[in-house]
């Protein structure tokens, strides 16, 4: 089994979006998958799962947790656990990272988004987290050039980044509002981008 954590230093960095799309994608591929929401205040993933259920879409196994160690006790029951972490919670991020096979840090393209995300990754490596277990995902890119620029910045800091860039599109937000994953929009081109992200993560945890 594997544990993937989606973390971020600030809200709005698409960590919950990433976690939800990954769980939906792996569930669709017949993995026994669990989405662990550890943000008691926002409960973003838990509420999304309820919207998805109300819409009659495929069910996502999801629960809300107060403690990371409680999530870890569930690992023998699943092929994959995806943890949706709390924003701006350095201690929790470290606890989650220490238990994860892969740590995904989602970030926007602006300096305001990139710098705290990169600092978080650097702090994790200072506390004995293997740099090779950390990968960035650039999200909410307003253009291809902005996405590419952000990827180059991440690489310059010495961190891995996915080839896929998730563009800033209203249709993605609408899909999430309806309890759908990023690859469940009405637009094939957007769906293909989101599926490419899921495939990249699949390849990483199976490499």
């Amino acid at each position: 089994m594997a544990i993937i954590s989606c973390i971020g230093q600030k809200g709005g960095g698409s960590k919950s979006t990433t976690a939800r799309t990954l769980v939906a994608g792996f569930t669709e591929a017949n993995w026994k998958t669990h989405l662990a929401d550890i943000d008691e205040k926002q409960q973003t993933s838990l509420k999304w799962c309820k919207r998805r259920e109300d819409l009659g879409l495929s069910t996502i196994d999801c629960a809300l947790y107060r403690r990371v160690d409680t999530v870890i006790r569930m690992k023998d029951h699943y092929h994959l656990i995806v943890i949706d972490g709390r924003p701006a919670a350095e201690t929790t991020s470290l606890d989650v990272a220490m238990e994860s096979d892969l740590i995904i840090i989602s970030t926007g393209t602006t300096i305001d988004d990139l710098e705290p995300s990169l600092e978080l990754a650097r702090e994790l490596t200072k506390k004995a987290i293997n740099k090779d277990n950390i990968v960035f995902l650039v999200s909410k890119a307003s253009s291809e050039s902005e996405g590419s620029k952000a990827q180059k910045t991440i690489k310059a800091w010495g961190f891995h980044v996915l080839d896929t860039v998730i563009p800033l599109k209203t249709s993605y937000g609408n899909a999430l509002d309806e309890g759908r994953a990023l690859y469940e929009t009405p637009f094939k081109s957007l769906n293909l981008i989101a599926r490419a992200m899921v495939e990249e993560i699949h390849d990483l945890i199976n490499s």
Side-chain angles (χ1 to χ4, degrees):
M1 67 82 58
I3 297 177
I4 296 174
S5 58
C6 299
I7 62 175
Q9 188 61 15
K10 56 187 292 187
S14 297
K15 66 176 184 58
S16 295
T17 297
T18 305
R20 289 175 284 178
T21 298
L22 287 176
V23 166
F26 278 87
T27 300
E28 185 182 81
N30 296 319
W31 286 49
K32 189 175 183 183
T33 309
H34 182 66
L35 177 55
D37 189 339
I38 62 170
D39 189 345
E40 290 182 273
K41 184 176 181 181
Q42 298 290 338
Q43 300 184 20
T44 303
S45 285
L46 189 70
K47 292 174 181 177
W48 173 83
C49 287
K50 180 62 168 60
R51 295 197 300 274
R52 187 175 181 85
E53 182 180 346
D54 291 344
L55 196 62
L57 296 170
S58 58
T59 302
I60 299 296
D61 193 287
C62 179
L64 183 68
Y65 296 87
R66 294 182 180 181
R67 297 168 56 90
V68 176
D69 57 354
T70 307
V71 180
I72 304 308
R73 294 192 199 111
M74 304 289 291
K75 65 182 182 179
D76 292 334
H77 300 285
Y78 297 95
H79 299 135
L80 174 67
I81 293 178
V82 179
I83 301 175
D84 180 9
R86 302 185 189 106
E90 184 177 318
T91 301
T92 302
S93 293
L94 178 61
D95 291 342
V96 169
M98 290 177 66
E99 300 291 349
S100 300
D101 300 289
L102 183 67
I103 302 129
I104 303 173
I105 301 179
S106 299
T107 179
T109 60
T110 67
I111 292 176
D112 287 343
D113 289 328
L114 281 168
E115 285 190 346
S117 298
L118 288 162
E119 290 291 351
L120 171 61
R122 187 159 65 179
E123 284 303 310
L124 291 177
T125 60
K126 286 180 179 178
K127 294 174 180 175
I129 299 300
N130 189 338
K131 181 182 283 190
D132 290 337
N133 292 344
I134 300 172
V135 63
F136 278 80
L137 168 64
V138 176
S139 297
K140 296 182 177 179
S142 58
S143 66
E144 288 187 17
S145 62
E146 287 299 310
S148 178
K149 182 180 177 182
Q151 288 176 319
K152 288 178 182 177
T153 299
I154 293 165
K155 291 175 181 177
W157 279 58
F159 290 103
H160 301 297
V161 60
L162 296 183
D163 292 332
T164 305
V165 173
I166 305 298
L168 179 62
K169 296 292 182 180
T170 301
S171 296
Y172 281 145
N174 292 342
L176 293 167
D177 286 347
E178 295 174 355
R180 301 180 187 275
L182 290 188
Y183 60 79
E184 295 175 319
T185 76
F187 302 101
K188 183 178 179 180
S189 60
L190 297 184
N191 297 344
L192 288 174
I193 293 171
R195 285 193 181 277
M197 181 270 287
V198 176
E199 287 297 324
E200 280 199 78
I201 297 300
H202 176 275
D203 290 345
L204 283 174
I205 64 174
N206 282 282
S207 60

